[in-house]
Amino acid sequence: MKERPLVLDDVDRKIIEELQRNGRESYKNIARKLGVSDGTVRLRTERMIKNDYLRITASVNPLYFENSLIAMVGINLEERANPEIMEKMSNVPGVQSVMNVSGRFDLLVEVFVSSRNAFRQFLVDDLSSVGGVKSTETFMFLEAVNKWAEHKE
């Protein structure tokens, strides 16, 4: 039996808002704030996670770490962007996200690494191993407001 597409209602949106404020908030406290049962909050949260709509993670301020680098890398490919190359790119160490975009680049890749050497490895070694990269242009983050990332080392 085919599962219905996920349709969010006001309760789902309010659960998300509460989790965005504090991802560690208990289902019981969220339920009390929303006037629903904690089972409702738990089941709806699990449904959103299962459907890849919601992910609860710990994020760090990437600019807090003195030697780390965060950058957006514009990539032009030899062929059209496709889900396979995007998936391969997303599995490279340090990659936060991969986006197929319009404009002068085929892909935008957000990268968060611990050092200049790790960034060199990403650009020279890791992108070569993915293959199909024609050219890149890097936009290094110097400052940011409200920028959070997953620390993946």
Side-chain angles (χ1 to χ4, degrees):
M1 182 162 79
K2 201 171 186 183
E3 195 170 316
R4 296 186 306 142
L6 182 63
V7 177
L8 300 181
D9 64 14
D10 286 340
V11 173
D12 294 318
R13 287 183 190 86
K14 288 176 182 172
I15 291 169
I16 293 167
E17 286 175 21
E18 292 299 324
L19 290 170
Q20 286 177 322
R21 273 194 265 289
N22 179 2
R24 297 180 63 197
E25 187 69 75
S26 72
Y27 293 151
K28 187 175 184 176
N29 286 342
I30 293 171
R32 189 175 331 114
K33 289 179 186 177
L34 303 182
V36 297
S37 73
D38 56 330
T40 295
V41 174
R42 180 179 48 78
L43 289 172
R44 286 173 178 247
T45 301
E46 289 172 358
R47 178 178 49 107
M48 289 186 282
I49 291 169
K50 180 182 171 206
N51 282 284
D52 288 331
Y53 185 81
L54 177 68
R55 183 175 68 176
I56 302 170
T57 65
S59 299
V60 298
N61 177 347
L63 298 171
Y64 176 83
F65 303 96
E66 189 173 320
N67 295 319
S68 67
L69 300 173
I70 187 160
M72 191 65 71
V73 180
I75 298 177
N76 285 311
L77 301 169
E78 292 170 356
E79 296 181 14
R80 292 187 63 118
N82 60 61
E84 292 81 25
I85 196 158
M86 291 177 71
E87 185 66 30
K88 282 175 75 175
M89 195 84 60
S90 74
N91 291 319
V92 171
V95 170
Q96 296 288 304
S97 61
V98 178
M99 293 141 296
N100 186 350
V101 296
S102 61
R104 71 180 187 178
F105 299 109
D106 297 314
L107 298 175
L108 286 179
V109 177
E110 186 177 19
V111 182
F112 175 38
V113 292
S114 61
S115 66
R116 192 174 68 229
N117 189 47
F119 190 68
R120 184 213 53 80
Q121 180 176 340
F122 167 78
L123 283 176
V124 176
D125 302 331
D126 296 338
L127 285 184
S128 294
S129 70
V130 169
V133 174
K134 187 167 46 173
S135 64
T136 65
E137 184 174 346
T138 299
F139 303 89
M140 196 70 59
F141 291 32
L142 302 176
E143 292 180 85
V145 174
N146 202 21
K147 177 64 190 149
W148 297 91
E150 291 182 21
H151 195 268
K152 300 179 179 179
E153 281 195 88

